[in-house]
Amino acid sequence: MSVVRSRLATRAIAAPAALVAVGLVLSACGSRAGDEGSTTASGAASCVDTSGDTIKVGSLNSLSGTMAISEVTVRDSIALAVEEINSDGGVLGKQIEIVSEDGASEPTVFAEKAEKLIGSDCVAAVFGGWTSSSRKAMLPVFEDRNALLYYPVQYEGLESSSNIFYTGATTNQQIVPALDYLKEQGVKSLYLVGSDYVFPQTANRIIKAYAEANGIEIKGEDYTPLGSTDFSTIVNKVRTADADAVFNTLNGDSNVAFFREYTNAGLNAKDMPVVSVSIAEEEVGGIGAQNIEGQLTAWNYYQTVDSPENTSFVEAYKAKYGANKPTSDPMEAAYTSVYLWKNTVEKAESFEVDDVIEAADGVTFDAPEGTVTIDGDNHHITKTARIGEIRGDGLIYTVWESDGAIEPDPYLESYDWASGLSGN
């Protein structure tokens, strides 16, 4: 299947105009690491203190607001990785100290907290962010400060920065494999539903380009504000459009309202399946398995992945946070990002940002999802694509996976149909 060699990118949330105040305009479509004319690190002096027995890192996630349903557990998995690393001797002999901040589901707050973590708390790296709006708000802060952000969530691609490591999927590792899977299953038409922000808008541009090149009809496209809970009109439009499937790029707790309305309208996975790229095990619990059973997801990791590394990860997470707490793709990517930072620092034998960047290419980690490797050119990582089915027990089970890890292609340079999408 063509998906096996896919090399694309996926996740972003449209940014409000207010983000201009924090310099979002500097990162309009993202900047290619090392590209002439792109936003680059200013060489700002670092206040990171490496003289003692500890080293600080930042954890920056939405602990309140509409995205808290997804991001609190990401914070928890970062803490688990740090705890494990500390118990194993730390990084270059230093214990890691976490400084945790709440992005409050607001891009401007993420930018402010990033500035605090770098400039006042003097952290060596920051782990976090979820929506692409939050990432794009933070991007100029990290570039201007020459600091490191490890971003753990799948996104829409079309971006790279020397100061960001993207440990979630880019489009060719999630959205394109999902489309290839649907095409193989005989899907000839799609309805697109998403939150009104960067990731869904950009993802759907990519989906429409793919659809045009592959003979798939787009029967409708609707967006709703992030956090919206009224889906009666949209679900009615989906029902009357009678598409073969729905491609869902809603984020946060909007998914709860959407799937409950979907079920109330008599729609189900058998008659009109929904493929989601932002619903993981944690969100399934909030939606209710009875409202989403049989529906599909596209990710790189599920709690049910069968590997020794994942068994250890799941057992450790449940031991720390509770036997009823599931693991999920963004959590796993965040957990993995801490280990990738550790391994890169140890390869560089330095906490200095420029040294870490220089050493990053080829750094690996045997992650719960499978072995991942950093691409030093675009700062994304290799990832195995997986299509999953949500079942009655609230877990997601793999029904298809790629033949090994897929190389990242954030600018979709491997696809003729994607030419012109990146604007670069």
Side-chain angles (χ1 to χ4, degrees):
M1 191 185 298
S2 61
V3 111
V4 174
R5 300 294 177 238
S6 292
R7 299 180 39 186
L8 174 44
T10 306
R11 173 154 200 118
I13 290 185
L19 292 182
V20 174
V22 296
L24 178 58
V25 70
L26 297 178
S27 60
C29 286
S31 56
R32 290 179 184 258
D35 271 6
E36 183 178 357
S38 66
T39 307
T40 57
S42 66
S46 170
C47 63
V48 175
D49 182 7
T50 60
S51 63
D53 296 330
T54 62
I55 189 76
K56 291 181 180 179
V57 301
S59 176
L60 179 50
N61 313 100
S62 292
L63 309 181
S64 60
T66 189
M67 294 307 301
I69 186 176
S70 301
E71 294 190 55
V72 168
T73 55
V74 171
R75 183 273 314 271
D76 292 344
S77 65
I78 292 168
L80 174 62
V82 168
E83 181 179 281
E84 291 178 349
I85 291 168
N86 281 342
S87 67
D88 196 37
V91 181
L92 296 184
K94 298 182 186 298
Q95 293 287 288
I96 305 170
E97 178 185 341
I98 297 178
V99 182
S100 180
E101 291 290 348
D102 180 10
S105 303
E106 293 290 341
T108 51
V109 176
F110 270 93
E112 292 164 1
K113 297 295 188 178
E115 183 71 40
K116 172 187 176 292
L117 287 167
I118 299 164
S120 299
D121 297 310
C122 303
V123 299
V126 175
F127 302 92
W130 183 292
T131 69
S132 287
S133 295
S134 69
R135 187 192 68 257
K136 286 185 176 292
M138 292 187 288
L139 187 149
V141 176
F142 283 90
E143 290 186 334
D144 290 346
R145 284 281 193 171
N146 193 23
L148 293 176
L149 170 65
Y150 285 76
Y151 176 69
V153 185
Q154 48 76 238
Y155 82 116
E156 74 285 354
L158 310 183
E159 178 183 295
S160 61
S161 168
S162 60
N163 293 94
I164 299 179
F165 286 95
Y166 307 77
T167 62
T170 186
T171 315
N172 74 303
Q173 299 167 321
Q174 187 197 31
I175 285 182
V176 171
L179 292 168
D180 282 346
Y181 177 80
L182 291 174
K183 180 183 175 183
E184 187 176 81
Q185 298 301 306
V187 167
K188 299 294 185 182
S189 61
L190 289 171
Y191 200 104
L192 310 181
V193 177
S195 299
D196 192 10
Y197 71 98
V198 178
F199 165 57
Q201 292 168 347
T202 306
N204 285 340
R205 274 203 301 133
I206 293 167
I207 291 169
K208 287 184 287 186
Y210 177 102
E212 183 178 0
N214 288 275
I216 296 174
E217 180 185 359
I218 302 298
K219 289 203 168 184
E221 179 179 3
D222 277 298
Y223 298 94
T224 186
L226 194 63
S228 175
T229 58
D230 184 1
F231 284 92
S232 56
T233 300
I234 289 178
V235 168
N236 187 56
K237 290 169 69 176
V238 169
R239 180 176 55 191
T240 57
D242 195 30
D244 291 338
V246 176
F247 207 106
N248 171 31
T249 53
L250 293 169
N251 263 261
D253 51 15
S254 289
N255 278 301
V256 177
F258 172 73
F259 276 101
R260 289 180 178 174
E261 184 66 31
Y262 203 80
T263 300
N264 290 339
L267 297 172
N268 55 57
K270 181 179 179 182
D271 297 332
M272 192 183 295
V274 180
V275 179
S276 301
V277 291
S278 296
I279 291 177
E281 289 85 345
E282 188 71 22
E283 288 80 12
V284 170
I287 294 167
Q290 72 277 9
N291 294 313
I292 200 170
E293 184 175 0
Q295 302 290 10
L296 300 174
T297 63
W299 288 104
N300 308 100
Y301 167 86
Y302 303 116
Q303 179 177 299
T304 55
V305 167
D306 184 13
S307 71
E309 291 81 9
N310 187 44
T311 297
S312 297
F313 170 60
V314 172
E315 288 178 352
Y317 186 86
K318 289 179 178 294
K320 184 172 178 63
Y321 296 109
N324 64 333
K325 298 292 187 180
T327 58
S328 67
D329 184 288
M331 295 162 53
E332 187 270 349
Y335 173 88
T336 294
S337 70
V338 182
Y339 276 96
L340 286 172
W341 170 74
K342 169 188 179 291
N343 291 352
T344 309
V345 166
E346 290 178 344
K347 179 182 176 183
E349 298 182 341
S350 170
F351 292 102
E352 291 290 334
V353 169
D354 292 342
D355 294 339
V356 172
I357 292 172
E358 179 67 25
D361 187 48
V363 169
T364 66
F365 174 59
D366 291 330
E369 69 182 84
T371 301
V372 299
T373 305
I374 296 176
D375 183 317
D377 291 331
N378 58 43
H379 284 197
H380 293 66
I381 68 175
T382 61
K383 298 183 79 71
T384 300
R386 292 181 169 96
I387 306 301
E389 179 184 300
I390 300 167
R391 298 189 183 161
D393 60 2
L395 297 180
I396 306 173
Y397 294 81
T398 301
V399 296
W400 177 90
E401 68 179 42
S402 60
D403 184 15
I406 299 171
E407 297 288 334
D409 181 10
Y411 291 95
L412 306 182
E413 293 170 335
S414 301
Y415 303 93
D416 291 339
W417 54 262
S419 60
L421 284 173
S422 70
N424 288 297

